[in-house]
Amino acid sequence: ILTTSRRIRVATHGNGVYEADIDLVIPVELISFSGRSENNNIVLNWSTATELNNRGFEIQRTSPLPSPYQGEGGEAGRGWEEIGFVEGSGTITELRSYSFVDENVLPGAYVYRLKQIDYDGNFSYSKSIEINSVYASDFVLKQNYPNPFNPTTKIKYTISPVIASGTKQSQQVTLKVYDVLGNEIATLVNEEKQSGTYEVEFDGTGLPSGTYFYKLKAGNFETAKKMVLIK
């Protein structure tokens, strides 16, 4: 159950009125709050058992990056920042599930918390959780599909991130097709790309049946696979 401290006015039976800070229960029962790293994103999930006057949840995060992150807490001045808001269910006594996706985060450890806000402006914080954002450590060149093919096939590949000065850097990527004698047949990709997974189509129209090779090169990484065109 989320709690907060509110200043309220208290009568003293004819002896005047005074104010005091009293811990009151905000009737939003948070029963779970978790997260996971998935495809370069952080996915947060939480559930409530009951809600009363709940306007919603502000999602807050600290990160491994230095300023300009502002706010209280955090190591080396790295504080909390608001990264999103998810509307609540107002007043309800049934189980409710919520989710939020923090997209395209850099590798590192992130701490998240929820700021639950009532319609009257009162608020409270959930416990904080730490999630590690993890990227695939290797470049990947998938087998083309279909294979054998006639006349088109698709090739999927993954580029791992290059991190410099705390940011993801693009890199030059080439994907070329060769015949069995090593002659270049086609250039499918020749450009700078950010980390991620991509898919291109190769059209073998006009080429004879036979075995071909496709080679991916990105930075110091280079690999090749073979494919078969059957007409």
Side-chain angles (χ1 to χ4, degrees):
I1 297 177
L2 303 176
T3 61
T4 189
S5 178
R6 305 185 196 177
R7 179 165 288 271
I8 64 173
R9 297 174 67 86
V10 180
T12 59
H13 303 289
N15 295 323
V17 175
Y18 67 92
E19 294 184 343
D21 287 325
I22 299 178
D23 285 336
L24 299 176
V25 174
I26 293 180
V28 174
E29 187 179 358
L30 186 69
I31 58 176
S32 68
F33 179 35
S34 62
R36 67 184 186 276
S37 176
E38 182 178 289
N39 298 325
N40 302 348
N41 302 324
I42 298 292
V43 181
L44 302 175
N45 296 284
W46 65 97
S47 298
T48 61
T50 61
E51 298 181 26
L52 179 62
N53 197 34
N54 180 25
R55 184 168 73 86
F57 302 90
E58 180 181 293
I59 295 89
Q60 298 187 348
R61 179 190 71 187
T62 65
S63 84
L65 297 179
S67 296
Y69 294 103
Q70 304 296 324
E72 60 171 305
E75 199 175 304
R78 301 166 190 170
W80 296 100
E81 63 164 348
E82 178 186 353
I83 60 171
F85 184 84
V86 174
E87 292 187 358
S89 300
T91 298
I92 193 168
T93 58
E94 298 175 355
L95 181 69
R96 279 288 184 268
S97 297
Y98 300 91
S99 65
F100 178 84
V101 179
D102 191 8
E103 298 180 339
N104 298 316
V105 295
L106 295 171
Y110 294 79
V111 180
Y112 296 88
R113 71 181 181 186
L114 303 174
K115 181 179 180 181
Q116 185 272 319
I117 305 173
D118 286 350
Y119 282 108
D120 59 12
N122 290 299
F123 61 88
S124 183
Y125 296 104
S126 73
K127 68 176 182 179
S128 60
I129 58 174
E130 182 174 316
I131 309 295
N132 284 302
S133 173
V134 180
Y135 284 79
S137 59
D138 296 324
F139 293 82
V140 177
L141 179 62
K142 297 283 190 179
Q143 185 64 53
N144 64 298
Y145 181 82
N147 186 47
F149 66 97
N150 179 29
T152 63
T153 188
K154 293 184 178 180
I155 301 171
K156 184 178 290 187
Y157 61 96
T158 298
I159 303 299
S160 290
V162 173
I163 307 299
S165 302
T167 60
K168 292 183 290 186
Q169 304 292 316
S170 61
Q171 52 191 311
Q172 186 67 29
V173 176
T174 61
L175 180 60
K176 297 183 178 182
V177 178
Y178 301 85
D179 63 17
V180 291
L181 298 178
N183 300 310
E184 183 178 322
I185 301 300
T187 297
L188 305 181
V189 179
N190 185 17
E191 60 184 302
E192 286 196 355
K193 286 188 174 294
Q194 293 281 356
S195 61
T197 298
Y198 302 89
E199 185 177 80
V200 296
E201 184 176 83
F202 173 62
D203 189 342
T205 301
L207 295 175
S209 297
T211 299
Y212 296 86
F213 296 87
Y214 55 102
K215 180 186 291 185
L216 175 68
K217 186 174 183 179
N220 295 323
F221 174 81
E222 186 173 325
T223 188
K225 289 184 180 293
K226 68 178 181 179
M227 57 185 174
V228 178
L229 172 62
I230 297 179
K231 293 186 174 181

